[in-house]
Amino acid sequence: MARLTANDVARLAGVSVGTVSRVVNKNPTVAPKAKQKVEAAIAQLGWYPNAVAQSMRTATTRMIGCIFSDIRNPLYTSIIKGAEEALSAQGYALMVASSGENPDREAALIDLFTRRRADGLLLSLADESSQPVIDAIASANVPTVLVERDLPLDVASVGTDHRAGMKRATKYLISLGHQRIALISGGQKNRAGRERLRGYLDAMQDADLTVDQDLLRLDSLSSDYAFNETQHLLGLANPPTAIISGGNQMLAGVLRAARLRCVDIPDQLSVISSGDTELAELATPPVTVIRWDLEAVGREGATILLKIVGGAAARSLGRIELPSEIILRESCAPPRAGIGTLTFPNRRGPE
Amino acid sequence: MARLTANDVARLAGVSVGTVSRVVNKNPTVAPKAKQKVEAAIAQLGWYPNAVAQSMRTATTRMIGCIFSDIRNPLYTSIIKGAEEALSAQGYALMVASSGENPDREAALIDLFTRRRADGLLLSLADESSQPVIDAIASANVPTVLVERDLPLDVASVGTDHRAGMKRATKYLISLGHQRIALISGGQKNRAGRERLRGYLDAMQDADLTVDQDLLRLDSLSSDYAFNETQHLLGLANPPTAIISGGNQMLAGVLRAARLRCVDIPDQLSVISSGDTELAELATPPVTVIRWDLEAVGREGATILLKIVGGAAARSLGRIELPSEIILRESCAPPRAGIGTLTFPNRRGPE
DNA sequence: TTGTACGCGTTATCAT
DNA sequence: ATGATAACGCGTACAA
């Protein structure tokens, strides 16, 4: 069977293609009788407009390109979910791609999406200082919204308030009596990492505590990194009494290391993690976390993006920051037995 | 700046559009000198071909539509990751959409993707018996691969060997001495659920054990369902000594319920879960799971899909089944103290 | 080897 | 209100 076109519909309905198009696009200037005939013909043939031809003609694809470092990260899937909701409600489809944290690949993907004439870009880049990426975005000249990131460009962005969240978490530990608080987090290559560090420093400064640089491990957001650095920290002559991990993938690494070293949480070590997960909720003990509404981030990002696509100035939208909250669970306690002290961890019950 | 076309390039290079097109498409019949001029012009102008126009002309979009019930499910993101690898290597892009397990939405999404002229579909449907969905796929007439699903259509499919995996898990529990083994899993609406049940029944039958229908809870794959049914099972007059959950989201529900009822794992209850997760690995105690390589499923699915897009007959590809394995951890033990018996759960060490 | 010209399926303009 | 027709940007058969 040859492929159907509006022409076939027109012929069957006894009208011209123009009228078919008008019916499809709900143009009011079409006679009810003609409209009926066209609709009948469409139903009879099972025709539907070819979106590619529509895109060709209207110079609009109703597609949004989406780049994240790794789609398996639940952080990103929640964002994508939120974005998809907002986008599909407006008839937009989502193209996704993983960059594997590789800036060159990110730049290539941006080029790819612009070649495919995406109407907009929703990006969470790995390295905010990568020139190829910056150039790609600039020359793409397409409505763009950054998620949890910042760039030296006139681009709208949306994210969560990591600084305030981290500050609150640190303050909480300080209020429990902790002074040696370690921070394991991603480095300075992106906004989230920088803001988290600032929040931590804010709280330490407010409490007049000196910051031990050895307790700052800021080179990666991976679980393996968290595992290694936790081990390292616990082996220090003067180990921390609390660890905050920034990055939702890191908790597993922290817990693995603590388990390996037979360090009891929270008796010997208090732990706060970033991003609520099933693991945090169901670990033994349940882990206190800094939580934010990632779906809202995605929804907001998509909504803003659509506004820009619709003609709003990116500059006027600026940056949107969603709040975070702290979920208190059982992984924090006042510092008691030092890790050096030999205690036999003893918990009871399934908690 | 007006948008660039191949015409602009042709003019600058002093050739015709045809030659520009030939250069872009690596047509060998173009003189080296002309080729150079064109490439120089392309570089100078920063022109790149408009993928929409190319699609229009070639009737091919190099886009694959992908539908899953919920993109937040790590099971699906691993599959997507694998698929993306295989697809992007061939220059294909991925459109994704969540169906929320709603068959009508699934049908609508299939229609949407075909309107957008996707070259292929990679689907994991919620309900294999939904007529609207079946009709949508049939009338879409587009290369399609089913992931972890089966349909009464001539469509290729790829998945994991749930039957063998579940059989092995059940056998393992039987070998430990369990006879009352509960199965909490998704219903009969999709292949994975059916196969899991069959594997369970296989093992029970092989061991000449009678199946207590009360221990079969087969209505959903959600965490909440697992929570409720685990509670229900533990409250039975004659409760199971082991629970197998089929579905990677369910473990959290099982653990929550066990914790709530102060049931000790594995002393009072053995647990096996489907799908390896951080939660399974880091729970207390670590949970024995049936594991499979989801990225491989995605890669295989995409590879097959591309073959069909390239002209292979779906019928010849049939169904591909990837193996599963069992990861033994500490959540299973011989049945000892009944749950009715009052014991004080007492574990030591961070395990 | 290269230029010309047509057509892919729509939408939109311009008559009527 | 509706029909005819010209784009949209590219690929390709055909002619040269």
Side-chain angles (χ1 to χ4, degrees):
Chain A
M1 58 183 177
R3 270 224 301 294
L4 294 166
T5 78
N7 245 312
D8 302 316
V9 175
R11 200 174 312 122
L12 180 61
V15 298
S16 75
V17 271
T19 302
V20 174
S21 174
R22 282 183 274 259
V23 169
V24 169
N25 295 305
K26 305 200 196 312
N27 187 319
T29 78
V30 49
K33 213 172 60 183
K35 186 179 168 195
Q36 244 170 19
K37 282 193 297 181
V38 170
E39 280 167 347
I42 289 177
Q44 185 181 332
L45 294 175
W47 171 84
Y48 48 88
N50 180 331
V52 173
Q54 289 179 314
S55 293
M56 176 93 211
R57 190 52 237 230
T58 62
T60 205
T61 55
R62 295 188 94 75
M63 293 217 288
I64 301 298
C66 205
I67 303 178
F68 291 97
S69 62
D70 186 348
I71 197 172
R72 285 169 307 181
N73 187 333
L75 193 143
Y76 297 134
T77 52
S78 292
I79 293 176
I80 293 176
K81 182 82 197 313
E84 195 207 322
E85 259 172 45
L87 292 175
S88 70
Q90 306 290 328
Y92 283 78
L94 206 54
M95 287 187 290
V96 300
S98 304
S99 70
E101 309 238 344
N102 177 351
D104 291 337
R105 177 152 170 74
E106 283 174 352
L109 286 170
I110 293 167
D111 287 346
L112 180 75
F113 283 151
T114 57
R115 253 210 319 282
R116 288 182 180 270
R117 291 262 128 81
D119 287 343
L121 261 27
L122 201 60
L123 310 176
S124 189
L125 280 353
D127 179 353
E128 298 183 348
S129 57
S130 160
Q131 197 56 43
V133 172
I134 294 173
D135 292 346
I137 295 178
S139 73
N141 198 23
V142 157
T144 300
V145 168
L146 264 21
V147 179
E148 293 282 22
R149 298 292 183 269
D150 242 2
L151 233 41
L153 283 173
D154 177 27
V155 172
S157 70
V158 48
T160 48
D161 192 350
H162 293 285
R163 185 172 183 174
M166 185 57 76
K167 182 173 180 181
R168 212 170 321 143
T170 311
K171 267 189 183 315
Y172 168 62
L173 288 171
I174 293 172
S175 77
L176 287 177
H178 292 273
Q179 304 206 344
R180 294 188 57 73
I181 303 171
L183 176 64
I184 310 180
S185 175
Q188 316 298 51
K189 278 185 178 173
N190 70 56
R191 179 189 176 93
R194 284 194 304 273
E195 292 294 292
R196 271 192 290 256
L197 175 58
R198 288 171 63 186
Y200 169 90
L201 295 175
D202 286 352
M204 295 295 278
Q205 187 166 9
D206 284 3
D208 280 325
L209 291 172
T210 55
V211 173
D212 182 345
Q213 295 296 327
D214 284 351
L215 266 29
L216 264 26
R217 324 303 303 178
L218 304 174
D219 290 327
S220 160
L221 286 168
S222 74
S223 176
D224 286 347
Y225 179 76
F227 175 75
N228 291 330
E229 296 307 314
T230 302
Q231 286 234 69
H232 168 82
L233 288 166
L234 294 177
L236 250 33
N238 186 7
T241 59
I243 290 182
I244 308 179
S245 65
N248 68 333
Q249 306 284 72
M250 307 184 94
L251 177 60
V254 173
L255 294 183
R256 262 189 214 112
R259 172 176 296 184
L260 193 70
R261 290 202 160 243
C262 292
V263 166
D264 187 78
I265 299 169
D267 282 354
Q268 297 176 303
L269 181 73
S270 289
V271 170
I272 296 183
S273 178
S274 298
D276 200 8
T277 60
E278 282 186 346
L279 177 59
E281 184 192 346
L282 290 165
T284 308
V287 177
T288 292
V289 298
I290 309 169
R291 176 162 77 180
W292 42 76
D293 185 348
L294 262 1
E295 281 188 57
V297 170
R299 251 189 329 264
E300 274 302 320
T303 305
I304 291 174
L305 182 54
L306 255 24
K307 275 187 192 153
I308 301 176
V309 170
R315 190 177 300 279
S316 71
L317 273 350
R319 172 170 178 83
I320 296 216
E321 202 140 280
L322 270 41
S324 58
E325 56 179 335
I326 267 206
I327 308 296
L328 261 29
R329 293 206 262 251
E330 301 162 33
S331 63
C332 298
R336 276 184 285 169
I339 294 179
T341 318
L342 190 70
T343 56
F344 199 88
N346 192 357
R347 268 167 290 121
R348 47 170 51 213
E351 274 135 17
Chain B
M1 57 182 176
R3 269 226 301 293
L4 294 165
T5 77
N7 246 312
D8 301 316
V9 175
R11 200 174 311 124
L12 179 61
V15 299
S16 75
V17 271
T19 303
V20 174
S21 173
R22 281 183 275 261
V23 169
V24 169
N25 295 306
K26 305 198 196 312
N27 187 320
T29 77
V30 49
K33 213 172 60 183
K35 185 179 167 192
Q36 246 171 17
K37 282 193 298 183
V38 170
E39 280 167 346
I42 288 177
Q44 185 181 333
L45 294 175
W47 171 83
Y48 48 87
N50 180 330
V52 174
Q54 289 180 312
S55 292
M56 178 93 215
R57 193 50 239 241
T58 62
T60 208
T61 54
R62 295 188 94 75
M63 293 216 288
I64 301 298
C66 205
I67 303 177
F68 291 97
S69 61
D70 186 348
I71 198 173
R72 286 169 306 180
N73 187 335
L75 191 143
Y76 296 135
T77 52
S78 292
I79 293 176
I80 293 176
K81 183 82 196 313
E84 194 207 324
E85 260 172 44
L87 292 176
S88 70
Q90 306 289 328
Y92 284 79
L94 207 54
M95 287 185 290
V96 300
S98 304
S99 69
E101 309 237 344
N102 177 352
D104 290 337
R105 178 152 170 73
E106 284 174 351
L109 286 170
I110 293 167
D111 286 346
L112 180 75
F113 283 151
T114 57
R115 253 208 321 282
R116 288 182 180 270
R117 289 262 127 82
D119 287 344
L121 261 27
L122 201 61
L123 310 176
S124 190
L125 281 352
D127 179 353
E128 298 183 347
S129 56
S130 159
Q131 197 57 43
V133 171
I134 294 173
D135 292 346
I137 295 178
S139 72
N141 199 24
V142 156
T144 301
V145 169
L146 264 21
V147 179
E148 293 282 22
R149 298 291 184 269
D150 241 1
L151 233 42
L153 283 174
D154 179 27
V155 172
S157 70
V158 48
T160 49
D161 193 350
H162 293 286
R163 185 172 181 174
M166 184 57 76
K167 182 174 179 180
R168 214 171 319 144
T170 310
K171 266 189 184 315
Y172 168 63
L173 287 171
I174 293 172
S175 76
L176 287 177
H178 293 272
Q179 304 206 346
R180 294 188 56 73
I181 303 171
L183 176 63
I184 310 181
S185 174
Q188 316 298 48
K189 280 185 178 173
N190 69 57
R191 180 189 176 93
R194 283 193 305 273
E195 292 293 293
R196 272 193 290 256
L197 176 58
R198 287 171 65 186
Y200 170 90
L201 295 176
D202 286 351
M204 294 295 277
Q205 186 166 10
D206 284 4
D208 281 325
L209 290 173
T210 55
V211 173
D212 183 345
Q213 296 296 327
D214 283 352
L215 300 187
L216 264 27
R217 323 304 302 178
L218 305 174
D219 290 327
S220 159
L221 287 168
S222 75
S223 176
D224 286 347
Y225 179 75
F227 175 76
N228 291 331
E229 296 307 314
T230 302
Q231 286 234 71
H232 168 82
L233 288 166
L234 294 177
L236 249 33
N238 187 8
T241 59
I243 290 182
I244 308 178
S245 65
N248 68 332
Q249 307 283 73
M250 306 186 94
L251 177 60
V254 173
L255 294 183
R256 262 189 214 111
R259 172 177 295 183
L260 193 72
R261 290 201 160 243
C262 292
V263 167
D264 186 77
I265 299 170
D267 283 354
Q268 296 175 304
L269 181 72
S270 290
V271 170
I272 297 183
S273 178
S274 298
D276 200 8
T277 60
E278 281 187 347
L279 177 60
E281 185 192 344
L282 291 165
T284 308
V287 176
T288 292
V289 297
I290 309 169
R291 175 162 77 181
W292 42 77
D293 185 347
L294 262 1
E295 280 188 57
V297 170
R299 250 188 331 262
E300 274 301 318
T303 305
I304 291 174
L305 182 54
L306 254 25
K307 275 187 192 153
I308 302 176
V309 170
R315 191 177 299 279
S316 71
L317 272 351
R319 172 170 179 82
I320 296 215
E321 202 139 280
L322 270 42
S324 58
E325 56 180 335
I326 270 205
I327 308 297
L328 261 29
R329 293 205 264 250
E330 301 162 33
S331 63
C332 297
R336 275 185 286 172
I339 293 177
T341 318
L342 190 71
T343 57
F344 199 89
N346 192 358
R347 265 167 293 122
R348 45 171 51 211
E351 276 133 13

